[in-house]
Amino acid sequence: MNARNMCYSEDKEFSNTEDKAFARSELVYNVTEDILLALEDKDMDKKELAQKLGKSASFVTQVLSGSRNMTLNTLSDIAYSMGAEVSISLNYPEKEQIESDYNLA
């Protein structure tokens, strides 16, 4: 479930600008949540991550709260510091919905 589904009815129409903003927010949320879960799994805290990155604890807090823009360089550095690799995939939900509607999958 995403923020749109939680706050608005299914038939609510959004402008392209609003859709883009929702997509951006969802991506930031998903990436930061994945990092926070990985930190938990590695039994690391933000302070330790900050030390490994050579950054301040406040920088890490800002990045992981979404209040500071996370560049791909920062994402790569975070993953490297945690001994992880980043995997990115692009999905086309509209195509999947069309295939599902017509049983083309």
Side-chain angles (χ1 to χ4, degrees), residues 35 53 70-86:
I35 292 169
L53 290 169
M70 183 186 321
T71 66
L72 290 175
N73 289 339
T74 301
L75 177 57
S76 177
D77 291 348
I78 289 171
Y80 182 83
S81 296
M82 297 174 66
E85 293 180 358
V86 175

Side-chain angles (χ1 to χ4, degrees), residues 1 5-8 12 17 20-21 23-24 39-41 43 46 49 64 69 75 84 86 88 91 97 102:
M1 178 167 280
N5 296 342
M6 291 174 22
C7 300
Y8 302 98
K12 169 80 170 129
T17 301
K20 192 184 329 180
R24 186 181 313 115
L39 282 172
E40 245 180 60
D41 288 345
D43 202 27
K46 293 176 191 176
L49 177 60
L64 296 181
N69 189 26
L75 177 57
V86 175
I88 297 173
N91 301 309
Q97 184 61 46
Y102 294 99

Side-chain angles (χ1 to χ4, degrees), residues 24-36:
R24 186 181 313 115
S25 294
E26 287 178 28
L27 177 62
V28 169
Y29 176 82
N30 290 332
V31 169
T32 55
E33 278 299 303
D34 285 350
I35 292 169
L36 291 168

